[in-house]
Amino acid sequence: MTDFLQPSASSALTQADLDRLRDAIEVSKRSVRSGNHPFGAVLVDASGAVVLEAENSVVTSNDCTGHAETNLVRAAWKAFGPEALGSYSLYTSCEPCAMCSGAIYWSGINRMVFAMSEAELGELTGDHAENPTMSLTSEIVLNSGQRRITVLGPALSSEALVAHDGFWA
């Protein structure tokens, strides 16, 4: 797994970003303990405070759209609304899939940071039936619309991998 950073032209990762990624990774571990897939996400407001966390809930909710990022976006939209979300950042243990990226885009969140890439996840899970990864980056989805969204990552891939250890076997 790769631990390099690929910041976009408009932003670089900070120590606070790395700390919030570690929070998302902890949520992904909690997701596994809850009986779900190893994915987690956190939402941070403009002041840097974590305001929401969400686990994956695909298994326990019997809902294929119960990805951590989508769960987080649903809760964030209800709690804060699109005007506020424009100044928030979403941190996730793994690069969001196309569905989750679309949800992030529609929510109004303007910044997303991820630990492990979708490509790295695909290498890890192979053709596992419970994780049909796509070869489509979140940056392509998030920046194919009418506004630009800052996308940073991968970062801390080897730390994110811990939650996946033995899960896909």
Side-chain angles (χ1 to χ4, degrees):
M1 293 292 131
T2 314
D3 278 312
F4 61 92
L5 308 179
Q6 289 182 326
S8 70
S10 62
S11 185
L13 287 171
T14 65
Q15 186 59 50
D17 289 326
L18 297 175
D19 293 341
R20 298 302 69 81
L21 279 176
R22 288 184 175 105
D23 292 342
I25 292 166
E26 287 305 311
V27 174
S28 75
K29 294 174 186 175
R30 190 172 70 220
S31 181
V32 172
R33 291 191 301 271
S34 297
N36 289 293
H37 299 128
F39 303 102
V42 299
L43 186 68
V44 174
D45 69 13
S47 74
V50 174
V51 295
L52 283 175
E53 296 181 344
E55 300 175 17
N56 177 286
S57 65
V58 169
V59 175
T60 56
S61 67
N62 193 31
D63 178 0
C64 66
T65 67
H67 294 192
E69 300 89 350
T70 303
N71 290 338
L72 187 78
V73 165
R74 284 185 190 118
W77 181 270
K78 289 176 185 175
F80 307 110
E83 294 79 24
L85 292 177
S87 64
Y88 287 29
S89 295
L90 187 150
Y91 295 84
T92 183
S93 62
C94 190
E95 183 175 12
C97 69
M99 175 187 68
C100 292
S101 294
I104 293 165
Y105 176 83
W106 289 107
S107 75
I109 294 169
N110 280 320
R111 187 170 185 269
M112 188 274 297
V113 184
F114 64 93
M116 186 170 45
S117 74
E118 181 81 351
E120 291 168 319
L121 178 64
E123 290 173 20
L124 175 67
T125 63
D127 64 354
H128 196 287
E130 292 185 36
N131 192 50
T133 59
M134 297 177 154
S135 58
L136 180 65
T137 69
S138 60
E139 188 159 23
I140 289 172
V141 176
L142 288 168
N143 288 307
S144 292
Q146 297 174 346
R147 61 188 179 87
R148 297 282 307 160
I149 298 173
T150 300
V151 177
L152 301 171
L156 305 178
S157 296
S158 61
E159 291 181 34
L161 179 62
V162 171
H164 296 262
D165 190 34
F167 185 86
W168 304 104

